[in-house]
Amino acid sequence: IRNKTGAHILLALKGFSTYSLFPSLRPFLNGTSASSLYETKLGHDMFGKNHVHTYSPAYKENEFKQILDLSTHVSFNSVSQWQQFKKTICNSTVSAGLRINPEYSEVKIPLYDPCIEASRLGIRKNELQEMDLTGIEGLHFHTLCESQFPALERTVRVIEDKFGHLFHHVKWLNLGGGHHITDPNYDIKSLCTLLIRLRQHY
């Protein structure tokens, strides 16, 4: 996938953090995805500061500077979190992103669905209408759970419809986790076609 598309593949430490196996995984991955200060430290220490993407529903003021020192990319869950830390991250070399909520999900179990009606995970389209996006370099969504390619394809259609106008203004797109690409039946060919289309179009 990496060779054909140029995409970066990250290890989600929340899902797998058995660091004794990291030396075996390192040649096949570009870096890690972290959701806390200690996961960020683990990814930085075990994979190096090549790609350390950190996302948290809410950052603590007393931890944020450490997270910036260890991360290459940081995504914010809300407009208020972005505004709170905007000055700090814009004075660093870390690339800032926003987690978006497409209000569409393929996940059938409500407990694992980040897009249910009352969810506070990610920023909805209407919240971005009047927002100054100066300093934002990426968009991040995470709506899948052990999903096959068709679920991603349908999700991307919805996201392009709602947020596609922003794609030309950012440098990166984080497709989140939940992709069951290690399943022998996963449609790798179609995934590569989708990734290449996104890169070429935007």
Side-chain angles (χ1 to χ4, degrees):
I1 295 169
R2 293 194 308 169
N3 291 341
K4 288 183 178 180
T5 70
H8 296 148
I9 298 183
L10 309 175
L11 172 66
L13 295 174
K14 184 193 294 185
F16 189 83
S17 57
T18 308
Y19 54 85
S20 59
L21 293 178
F22 286 0
S24 300
L25 296 175
R26 213 177 285 132
F28 307 102
L29 299 165
N30 293 95
T32 56
S33 175
S35 59
S36 68
L37 173 59
Y38 289 101
E39 284 184 7
T40 304
K41 286 181 176 179
L42 179 63
H44 178 275
D45 292 349
M46 297 300 293
F47 281 82
K49 193 175 178 179
N50 183 19
H51 287 282
V52 181
H53 286 242
T54 304
Y55 159 79
S56 177
Y59 295 104
K60 297 178 182 178
E61 188 81 50
N62 64 336
E63 292 182 351
F64 193 70
K65 179 63 171 64
Q66 284 180 278
I67 286 173
L68 283 187
D69 290 342
L70 298 166
S71 303
T72 56
H73 302 70
V74 167
S75 292
F76 296 94
N77 183 64
S78 65
V79 173
S80 60
Q81 279 274 293
W82 162 242
Q83 291 171 340
Q84 180 181 351
F85 294 107
K86 180 177 180 179
K87 185 175 180 181
T88 305
I89 196 168
C90 286
N91 287 329
S92 74
T93 59
V94 176
S95 185
L98 298 176
R99 176 171 176 168
I100 53 176
N101 183 334
E103 300 176 77
Y104 170 85
S105 180
E106 296 274 343
V107 178
K108 305 305 179 190
I109 303 172
L111 179 65
Y112 301 119
D113 184 358
C115 297
I116 57 174
E117 189 176 342
S119 174
R120 293 188 290 172
L121 295 173
I123 303 169
R124 291 167 170 78
K125 179 183 177 181
N126 67 313
E127 297 176 86
L128 290 177
Q129 302 289 37
E130 304 298 325
M131 184 175 169
D132 178 10
L133 295 177
T134 303
I136 294 296
E137 295 186 340
L139 297 173
H140 167 203
F141 69 88
H142 183 149
T143 62
L144 304 177
C145 180
E146 290 191 341
S147 303
Q148 295 292 327
F149 172 75
L152 172 63
E153 186 176 39
R154 291 188 291 266
T155 300
V156 167
R157 281 198 212 109
V158 173
I159 289 174
E160 283 187 278
D161 182 55
K162 291 187 175 183
F163 300 96
H165 62 288
L166 302 176
F167 284 12
H168 291 290
H169 304 288
V170 295
K171 296 180 179 179
W172 52 267
L173 181 65
N174 185 326
L175 305 182
H179 310 275
H180 207 172
I181 60 174
T182 55
D183 186 321
N185 296 315
Y186 192 94
D187 188 352
I188 297 291
K189 183 178 179 180
S190 293
L191 173 63
C192 290
T193 299
L194 173 66
L195 294 174
I196 291 168
R197 179 184 71 77
L198 288 172
R199 295 195 76 164
Q200 290 178 341
H201 188 70
Y202 299 106

